[in-house]
Every structure is written in structure tokens, then in C-alpha cells.
Amino acid sequence: MTEALSEEVTLRRTEELAALQAYYDDALLPSLIPPENGNNNEVHNIALEGPWFIQLGNQSLFGLGIPTLEIRVPPSYPFGDECPIPILHSVMMNPQTKEALLKELQDMFEMEMDVGIMWGEHCREEISIMEETYTTQQLLQQDDDGDRATTLKKIANENEVGQEVQTFIPPTTRYNQPIRNFPTSVIHNPKYQREILHTPPFHPPKSGAAENMIAHVCKVTCMEHVQWALAELLFNDKKVAKATHNMFAYRFHHHGDDDSALLVHDNDDDGEKGSGAKLASLLELSGAENVLVVVSRWYGGQLLGPARFKWIAAVARTGLVQGGFINGD
């Protein structure tokens, strides 16, 4: 008999399956045993109790069918410390390589983390790399030694067409944070490196015990600076990566070859609707230029209502003052 899921677990799994359905569409497969009629523990014919199946691409190069990730979820998931079990089907890998990949997936897991999209994309990337390597080796084996240089050049040109990206997947789908892609040619290039200032944590009045906000501020004069700084925060600061929201705004002048100056500005809510516009308004009204401001918020369980925007702006302003982008008067 299937163990009944708690109301909290049911809500979180329903939200995660809805996000998986939106992201993978038909690649998220129905349950092998269809849920019984009248059973509320299912989303799009997928049982909340699992297992869940995600197809990771097209037909395998090795003729084994479509690579598929199976996720077996324990009763407490995502709240307990028991990790879901990942299983790979129709993937021809060295057993040690496959074991190492599955261990990587489990090492990613932390309590209250939604693993579906994160595990699916990690597996898809690893399989893609494996198949590209295999294809390259096959092409080289088919060529004579005299044609090897031509083949290598062709492969290099094909790789340049599709720019490589590094993908940030939020630890949970609960707060509507988007998946973000960053060009590796930018975020691994030291010439775009920025010095980022961080404000001390701010605990808003009448908020939950775990509620905190921190602003991150740096000078930017091009989009590559913005991309590098955001990637640095999301990939290299574990606390920021787990924030409920990382809303941001930037504003700088791009100088063209004819000495013209084009104002470039934008903002992003990161799931906290309206917050990006508040930060953009702060930059405009304060006259801050050539700056990126990011505010990380860790939700403490107590709804703050409209007051949260006041605190988000206040934390951002503190960062701008500390960074010397505006006066503190």
C-alpha cells in the first residue's frame, strides 16, 4: 500500500511536476502504472509518488532507444534528508562513468531542493558531451591521415557556430525563478572580471527568523560585465544560489565608435514580481550610472506584503552608497 503523502509534500511535488511539464513537455513521460480514477495524487497522469521519467534527448547514437532519467522519490521528498534515487536507462556508458554521474546527481541534493530539472539538465549535458566525443572519434577513424587536419578544422568550425553556455538551475521551482544561461566565453574570461561589493545582511522588521536581504554591487560598462557578475554570484556563492530571489537592475552608457553614448538599462524580478522595476527606478532617480545592483532575499516564512519593496530598495541603496555610486545624503 502506498504511503499517504502529507499536504505539504503534495503541494511541493505538484508544483515541481507542473514545472517539469512546462519545461520538458512530452519528454516528461506518464507513469508506467496510470493513477487510479479519482486519485488526486497525480499531475498530467504522473503519480506524485513516482517514479518520474524524463527523456533526455533523441534516439541514442548507439541504437539503445532514447536516453531516459528515472527518479524514484522517497516519501518525505523534498523535505527530508533522504535523497531521491536516479537511474539512467538506454545510456551506453562505462559502468564506472555511469556510477560517477549518478553519484554527482545525489551529491547535488540538499533538503527542500527540487531535483527534477537540475538532474535532467546535468544528465543531458553529460550525454551530449559523450555523444559529441564519440562522433568526433568516428569521423577521425573514417579519414586517412592526410585528411585528419581537414576533419579537425571542420569539427572546430561546427563547434564555434553554437556558443557554449553554462546553465544555472534554481534549487526549487517554488519561487518562480527562471533558468539562466551564461556564455562560457564571457564568464570564464578574466578581462570581464568585476570586483563585487556585498552589504551586511539586513533582517526586515516583523519578518520571519530566517528572513535576510543582501545587496551586491559592482561597476559595469558592458553586458559582458553584467553576465560575468551574475554568473559569479550564482555559480560561486552557494548562499546566493539558494536565495529565494536574486532580483537585479543595471544601468550604463555604451560608447560607440563615433563617441555617441547609448544608455543601456534593464531589470529582472527573479520571481519577485515588481522588484526589478523598483530597483531600476532607484537607479534612475538616484542618478546611479555604470552599475549593477543585485538584491538577494531569503524568505523567512512571514509574508511582508508591499513593505518588502521598501526594504529591497533600502538594501540596494545601502549598497550603492557603500560602493560610491551615489551620495548617502
Side-chain angles (χ1 to χ4, degrees):
M1 182 176 178
T2 303
E3 184 177 343
L5 302 178
S6 70
E7 183 177 347
E8 189 177 31
V9 167
T10 297
L11 175 60
R12 282 292 300 276
R13 291 194 190 182
T14 300
E15 291 174 346
E16 181 173 5
L17 280 175
L20 285 167
Q21 178 70 34
Y23 191 81
Y24 288 109
D25 197 19
D26 293 340
L28 179 66
L29 303 180
S31 298
L32 293 176
I33 302 176
E36 299 177 2
N37 291 334
N39 183 359
N40 293 326
N41 284 357
E42 56 96 4
V43 176
H44 300 290
N45 289 322
I46 303 168
L48 296 185
E49 296 86 355
W52 302 339
F53 295 88
I54 302 171
Q55 291 183 330
L56 302 172
N58 300 317
Q59 185 78 15
S60 169
L61 288 178
F62 312 108
L64 297 176
I66 299 176
T68 302
L69 171 66
E70 176 183 351
I71 302 175
R72 298 183 181 179
V73 290
S76 60
Y77 173 81
F79 295 103
D81 57 6
E82 185 179 355
C83 180
I85 299 173
I87 301 172
L88 283 171
H89 301 281
S90 301
V91 177
M92 182 178 285
M93 273 184 180
N94 176 289
Q96 289 79 15
T97 302
K98 181 184 285 190
E99 183 180 351
L101 174 56
L102 295 175
K103 186 178 185 305
E104 280 182 26
L105 299 182
Q106 292 182 306
D107 288 343
M108 291 177 179
F109 172 75
E110 294 182 12
M111 193 182 301
E112 293 198 41
M113 175 182 288
D114 297 344
V115 300
I117 294 177
M118 179 175 65
W119 281 8
E121 290 309 289
H122 187 73
C123 287
R124 190 150 65 174
E125 181 179 355
E126 290 299 315
I127 292 170
S128 175
I129 292 171
M130 179 186 69
E131 294 190 340
E132 284 177 9
T133 301
Y134 173 81
T135 301
T136 300
Q137 291 173 344
Q138 290 297 104
L139 286 171
L140 291 174
Q141 288 174 4
Q142 292 169 8
D143 288 331
D144 296 327
D145 290 340
D147 296 326
R148 187 172 294 266
T150 302
T151 300
L152 289 171
K153 183 176 181 180
K154 178 182 177 182
I155 293 169
N157 289 337
E158 289 175 351
N159 289 339
E160 288 176 3
V161 172
Q163 187 180 36
E164 291 187 1
V165 297
Q166 188 169 338
T167 302
F168 173 76
I169 301 175
T172 177
T173 58
R174 188 177 186 184
Y175 301 111
N176 300 315
Q177 295 170 281
I179 293 172
R180 301 189 185 279
N181 293 307
F182 298 90
T184 55
S185 60
V186 171
I187 65 176
H188 297 316
N189 191 330
K191 78 175 183 179
Y192 299 124
Q193 186 172 342
R194 303 281 88 192
E195 182 177 350
I196 304 175
L197 177 148
H198 312 276
T199 63
F202 170 73
H203 181 68
K206 300 181 180 179
S207 63
E211 181 87 31
N212 268 314
M213 297 182 185
I214 295 177
H216 320 277
V217 179
C218 67
K219 181 179 180 180
V220 297
T221 57
C222 63
M223 280 307 304
E224 288 80 5
H225 289 162
V226 174
Q227 293 170 331
W228 187 95
L230 291 174
E232 174 68 12
L233 291 170
L234 294 175
F235 291 122
N236 296 322
D237 189 321
K238 291 184 178 180
K239 185 176 180 181
V240 172
K242 296 177 185 176
T244 310
H245 304 287
N246 288 299
M247 59 287 289
F248 63 86
Y250 57 85
R251 184 181 177 87
F252 62 86
H253 280 95
H254 174 75
H255 296 276
D257 295 335
D258 58 354
D259 292 332
S260 61
L262 174 67
L263 178 62
V264 180
H265 59 99
D266 204 352
N267 64 85
D268 192 297
D269 296 332
D270 198 44
E272 181 72 284
K273 190 174 181 180
S275 60
K278 294 290 183 182
L279 293 177
S281 178
L282 171 65
L283 295 184
E284 181 179 5
L285 294 176
S286 64
E289 297 282 346
N290 298 332
V291 64
L292 164 70
V293 58
V294 182
V295 176
S296 299
R297 180 191 178 191
W298 292 267
Y299 176 57
Q302 181 71 38
L303 295 175
L304 299 181
R308 68 189 186 278
F309 296 117
K310 176 176 69 175
W311 302 127
I312 290 169
V315 170
R317 182 177 179 82
T318 298
L320 294 172
V321 171
Q322 290 185 8
F325 293 97
I326 61 175
N327 294 323
D329 299 334

